[in-house]
Each structure stands twice: as C-alpha cells, then as structure tokens.
C-alpha cells in the first residue's frame, strides 16, 4: 500500500463538514461509539439495524459530490451494476450511501439497508470470533487442531495421511501457516470432485471436505514456516469456534460478537437466488460468462454466483452477508484507537495485526508499519475492500458484479476511494 498519505483531499472536506455530519448522524454516531464489552446480551427483536434507519439522502451533501462522482466513474468504467460505501471518521459514521441497482430488472436502487456478500471479509469476522474465545479462556492460540489432544479430535477426523497435520495450531490457521496450499486445487471450490470421491451428497459440508483433505492431501510445507493463503484453513476455524464454544458457528458470532456491538443484520448467506435475504442485492456476472455445473448436484449449468459456488460450504471462510454500515460498526470495535474501548484487548488486536514479509496477520489481508490495515474479498458476483487508516478514517466499498479484473479489482477500488 506504500507510505503515501491517502485520502488527503477527502480529509480536507471532512474537517470542514464534520460538525454538519454529526448533526444528521447523531443517533448513529452515538451507537457507533458505544463499544462496552461488559454486557453481552442478545437484543430484542425490536432493535432495528442502523442500516435500516438511514437512506441515501442523509449522505447527499454538496461537499461529498467529489467522492460520489469518483465512485460513479469507477462503476461506469468497470460496468458495475450496484455498489455501497460506508465511511467512519474518529469512530463516527459520517457517510453511508448506495449507488446503482440492487435489482436492475426491477430498478431497485441500492440503499444503505442492502446486504451484500462480503466473500473473504468473512475471515476477519471469524478471526475476531476466535480471539474472543481466546480472551474468554475457551481457546488458546497454541492449541493443536487435530489428534488425540486436538480441538477437532472427533473420530471422523482420525484418518490422517500426513502426520505433520498433528502439529497444526489455531494460530497456524489464523495466519495461513498451516502447511496446506492449493497446488492440487482449492478444496473449498472442488465440491463435485470431492463429492464423487467421498461418495457424499451435494452440497458438501465442511466436515466432509475436512475428512477428504485429511485423508488425501499431505502438507506442502512444515506448519509455521511461511504463509500461503488458505480458504480451507479459515473454514476449519469455523469448526474450531463450534467445538470451543459449544454452539453453531453462526450463532456464536451473532450472539457473542455482533449483537453486543449493536450489529443485528449480518448473516451467513445462501447460494441460490430464491434464498436471498429480503434486503439482499441481486448479483451479476460478466456478459457471456460461462456457466458451470451446480454445486447442489442437480446436473444443471448455473452461474457461479447462483449455485456454482456453494456459499453455505464456504461459511467461516467466505459466507457472510452484511451492509457496509454494520461492517463499519465491527471495524470501530477492533480498530485499536483510544477514543473508545474495543471488543478485544489491545494485546489481542496487536496480535491480530502483526505481520512480516513471510507471515500474514490474523483475518486481515495485510497490515503495514504506517497503521494501514486492509481486507479484500472476491467471489463471482461480488467484491469488497475494507480499510482502516492511522488517521482515524476507515471505509468499505462493496459491489454486486463480477468484473474482468477479478480479485485484482481491489487495486482499482482503492484508487477510486482515495481519489474522492
């Protein structure tokens, strides 16, 4: 990301208009600033998510037109159907706005209330859940994952082809140093092949994928030696959270991480269009994009973004849907700033954001010595970029469209945001 100062033009605008924003976002700002961890209570159903209490008009200011135009130009250049942005400054929400269409056929415009798949941003959510368990003394970073004394010591995980697997720790999964690579393909996207070899029904469960990997794949390097990005490792962390907490992964995250922060509209998503949440956007692919065999075993060819990839199977590694506004609430709770207390201790946040040339941070895509932390996420039909800066500014941009640049689009997303 370099050492260049980012968002300079944008910050000048914010300094001029910050008080004006707080008047209109007062209720939201207060909610964002409340990060007390002393009481973890699931809210009543009457508690309405922040993203449902605001709309695009609240961010329609003359002083923000530069950012608006930059996002619109970015969308035009990359043929993006819909996008949503949220910005926080000094732990206060100051901007939340949708662009384009949540449903192009019905001409439904994107509003802050619309949910998007966030792909690998899900890994950050999972990492926070794991660290929460560590702080509650229900888990240790040095706990081994497999074997007699491992967290996942169930009988179904006992057939292991490579004894080095017994040395994999929770920390190895968090920083992608487990020893697995994708030389033989990413098992999280090999549903049809694994189902055939394991004689299992589709869609696959992460338990079946875990059995397949343990029985059929050796490690490519000794755990802890280096980082190689692993979707499978983070899917395993979902199982670790379940075993350590004694409850389903999604329930633990919602009840013990999200709800205490006032986040009420984040969920594990679904693959098929008929199973979308009521306020979830539609997803769109490239024109003429090749369809693939359904990961649900129907034998039909479908778009990757509607059944080709199994969102349910990805789970802790890439299955969450969220609004940008509520994602910002989570970031405010783990940003390490001193204005308010965080949901995690300073030591846990420092542990999460440590990185080196060879070792990745926990949950984040990357961190640097200048206080920039960033998280990318890409699946067919969606891309997300979330960024935390040392100057107190954090933001997220999410789109609902596949682009020709794929995972590399995050570079263009970053350029569009910092030029606003």
């Amino acid at each position: 990301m370099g050492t260049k100062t980012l968002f300079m033009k944008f910050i000048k605008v914010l300094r001029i208009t910050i008080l004006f924003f707080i008047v209109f976002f007062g209720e939201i700002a207060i909610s964002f600033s409340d990060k007390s961890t002393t009481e973890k209570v699931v809210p009543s159903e009457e508690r309405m998510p922040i993203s449902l209490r605001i709309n695009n008009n609240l961010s329609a200011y003359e002083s923000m037109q530069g950012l608006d135009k930059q996002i619109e130009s970015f969308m035009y250049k990359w043929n993006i159907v819909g996008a949503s942005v949220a910005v926080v400054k000094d732990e206060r929400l100051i901007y939340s706005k949708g662009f384009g269409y949540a449903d192009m056929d019905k001409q439904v415009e994107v509003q802050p209330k619309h949910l998007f798949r966030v792909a690998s941003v899900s890994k950050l959510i999972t990492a926070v859940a794991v660290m929460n368990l560590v702080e509650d003394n229900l888990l240790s970073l040095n706990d081994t994952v497999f074997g007699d004394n491992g967290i996942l010591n169930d009988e179904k995980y006992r057939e292991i082809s490579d004894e080095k697997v017994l040395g994999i720790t929770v920390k190895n999964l968090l920083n992608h140093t487990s020893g697995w690579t994708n030389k033989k393909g990413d098992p999280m996207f090999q549903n049809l092949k694994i189902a055939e070899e394991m004689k299992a029904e589709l869609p696959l469960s992460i338990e079946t994928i875990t059995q397949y990997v343990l029985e059929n794949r050796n490690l490519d390097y000794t755990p802890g030696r280096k980082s190689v990005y692993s979707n499978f490792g983070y899917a395993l962390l979902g199982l670790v959270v379940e075993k350590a907490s004694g409850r389903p992964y999604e329930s633990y995250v919602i009840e013990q991480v999200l709800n205490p922060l006032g986040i009420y509209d984040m969920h594990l998503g679904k693959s098929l269009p008929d199973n979308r949440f009521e306020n979830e956007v539609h997803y769109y692919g490239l024109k003429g994009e090749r369809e693939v065999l359904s990961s649900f075993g129907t034998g039909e060819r479908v778009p990757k973004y509607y059944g080709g990839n199994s969102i349910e199977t990805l789970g802790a590694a890439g299955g969450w849907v969220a609004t940008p506004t509520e994602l910002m609430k989570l970031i405010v709770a783990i940003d390490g700033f001193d204005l308010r207390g965080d949901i995690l201790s300073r030591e846990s946040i420092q542990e999460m954001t440590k990185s080196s040339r060879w070792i990745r941070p926990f949950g984040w895509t990357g961190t640097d010595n200048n206080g920039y932390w960033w998280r990318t996420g890409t699946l067919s039909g969606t891309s997300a970029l979330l960024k935390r800066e040392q100057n107190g500014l954090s933001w997220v941009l999410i789109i609902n469209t596949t682009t020709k640049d794929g995972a590399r689009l995050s570079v263009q997303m970053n350029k569009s945001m910092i030029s606003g």
Side-chain angles (χ1 to χ4, degrees):
M1 293 291 167
T3 59
K4 189 189 300 182
T5 302
L6 302 178
F7 262 124
M8 292 308 295
K9 296 179 182 177
F10 191 32
I11 292 172
K12 289 179 181 179
V13 171
L14 294 179
R15 286 172 179 167
I16 296 171
T17 60
I18 189 77
L19 292 176
F20 184 60
F21 283 128
I22 291 173
V23 171
F24 284 90
F25 286 95
E27 181 184 3
I28 300 168
I30 291 171
S31 180
F32 261 54
S33 299
D34 180 12
K35 300 187 293 185
S36 171
T37 59
T38 58
E39 185 180 16
K40 293 187 175 183
V41 179
V42 180
S44 65
E45 293 182 359
E46 287 74 26
R47 295 295 293 275
M48 184 181 294
I50 283 177
S51 51
L52 295 181
R53 286 190 266 140
I54 58 179
N55 56 53
N56 288 341
N57 292 333
L58 289 174
S59 293
Y61 304 121
E62 183 177 352
S63 55
M64 301 300 284
Q65 288 180 358
L67 179 60
D68 291 350
K69 290 179 180 178
Q70 199 68 26
I71 295 169
E72 289 165 354
S73 175
F74 162 75
M75 292 177 66
Y76 177 80
K77 178 179 179 180
W78 295 97
N79 296 311
I80 292 165
V81 177
S84 192
V85 179
V87 181
V88 164
K89 174 63 175 172
D90 296 332
E91 302 193 325
R92 293 178 180 271
L93 179 67
I94 59 171
Y95 182 88
S96 182
K97 194 172 183 180
F99 297 83
Y101 294 103
D103 186 332
M104 188 162 52
D105 292 338
K106 296 182 179 179
Q107 295 289 286
V108 177
E109 296 182 350
V110 178
Q111 292 282 344
K113 70 178 182 179
H114 281 110
L115 294 165
F116 288 70
R117 292 174 182 167
V118 299
S120 284
V121 175
S122 302
K123 294 179 175 66
L124 182 57
I125 299 169
T126 298
V128 173
V130 170
M131 296 307 291
N132 201 57
L133 285 165
V134 170
E135 292 197 352
D136 287 344
N137 296 315
L138 295 174
L139 199 61
S140 167
L141 293 179
N142 295 320
D143 285 343
T144 53
V145 179
F146 297 106
D148 292 341
N149 299 316
I151 300 166
L152 304 180
N153 58 4
D154 310 61
E155 189 64 33
K156 59 187 173 184
Y157 303 133
R158 292 302 183 93
E159 291 189 34
I160 298 174
S161 64
D162 188 344
E163 291 297 311
K164 293 195 297 297
V165 165
L166 300 178
I168 295 173
T169 65
V170 172
K171 186 173 183 177
N172 293 146
L173 298 181
L174 284 166
N175 62 15
H176 299 274
T177 61
S178 63
W180 280 300
T181 70
N182 294 327
K183 287 182 179 179
K184 296 182 179 180
D186 188 335
M188 302 308 298
F189 297 96
Q190 293 183 314
N191 287 268
L192 300 180
K193 174 186 176 182
I194 294 174
E196 182 179 358
E197 294 194 22
M198 297 294 288
K199 295 179 172 55
E201 292 185 1
L202 290 166
L204 283 185
S205 67
I206 181 57
E207 288 85 358
T208 298
I209 293 176
T210 300
Q211 288 178 285
Y212 170 81
V213 172
L214 292 176
E215 295 172 16
N216 295 280
R217 294 195 181 183
N218 292 337
L219 297 185
D220 294 302
Y221 62 92
T222 302
R225 187 166 65 86
K226 61 180 180 178
S227 284
V228 178
Y229 195 81
S230 175
N231 285 307
F232 175 61
Y234 265 78
L236 282 177
L237 284 172
L239 296 178
V240 168
V241 169
E242 291 190 345
K243 195 70 178 288
S245 68
R247 67 183 80 177
Y249 163 78
E250 183 181 19
S251 296
Y252 177 81
V253 174
I254 288 174
E255 295 167 11
Q256 297 298 311
V257 177
L258 303 179
N259 284 174
L261 298 174
I263 299 172
Y264 309 132
D265 198 20
M266 286 174 62
H267 321 272
L268 285 180
K270 305 295 182 182
S271 299
L272 303 180
D274 290 345
N275 296 330
R276 290 179 306 114
F277 290 92
E278 184 177 355
N279 57 322
E280 186 177 355
V281 299
H282 279 261
Y283 302 98
Y284 299 89
L286 284 170
K287 186 176 181 180
E289 186 177 11
R290 184 173 62 90
E291 293 187 334
V292 298
L293 284 173
S294 170
S295 63
F296 285 75
T298 63
E300 61 183 337
R301 289 194 169 273
V302 297
K304 284 184 180 179
Y305 50 88
Y306 277 143
N309 294 331
S310 175
I311 304 302
E312 293 87 346
T313 303
L314 282 170
W320 284 89
V321 296
T323 66
T325 305
E326 291 206 312
L327 271 179
M328 283 294 94
K329 285 183 71 69
L330 177 63
I331 297 310
V332 164
I334 58 169
D335 59 15
F337 292 127
D338 294 329
L339 292 175
R340 303 281 178 175
D342 288 305
I343 193 174
L344 298 175
S345 68
R346 179 174 294 275
E347 291 73 23
S348 290
I349 292 173
Q350 289 175 343
E351 184 72 31
M352 284 185 66
T353 55
K354 282 194 307 186
S355 65
S356 66
R357 183 178 178 183
W358 303 110
I359 306 297
R360 292 175 179 267
F362 297 178
W364 296 93
T365 301
T367 61
D368 67 17
N369 294 329
N370 299 308
Y372 295 109
W373 309 342
W374 60 96
R375 177 68 253 181
T376 59
T378 300
L379 280 172
S380 179
T382 190
S383 286
L385 175 60
L386 184 157
K387 200 167 183 182
R388 175 266 197 199
E389 303 189 12
Q390 184 58 44
N391 57 19
L393 196 67
S394 297
W395 52 266
V396 60
L397 167 62
I398 314 178
I399 65 173
N400 67 348
T401 312
T402 302
T403 71
K404 60 183 180 181
D405 246 26
R408 298 185 300 275
L409 185 70
S410 60
V411 175
Q412 303 302 323
M413 295 169 81
N414 184 59
K415 287 181 179 178
S416 295
M417 289 296 292
I418 68 176
S419 300

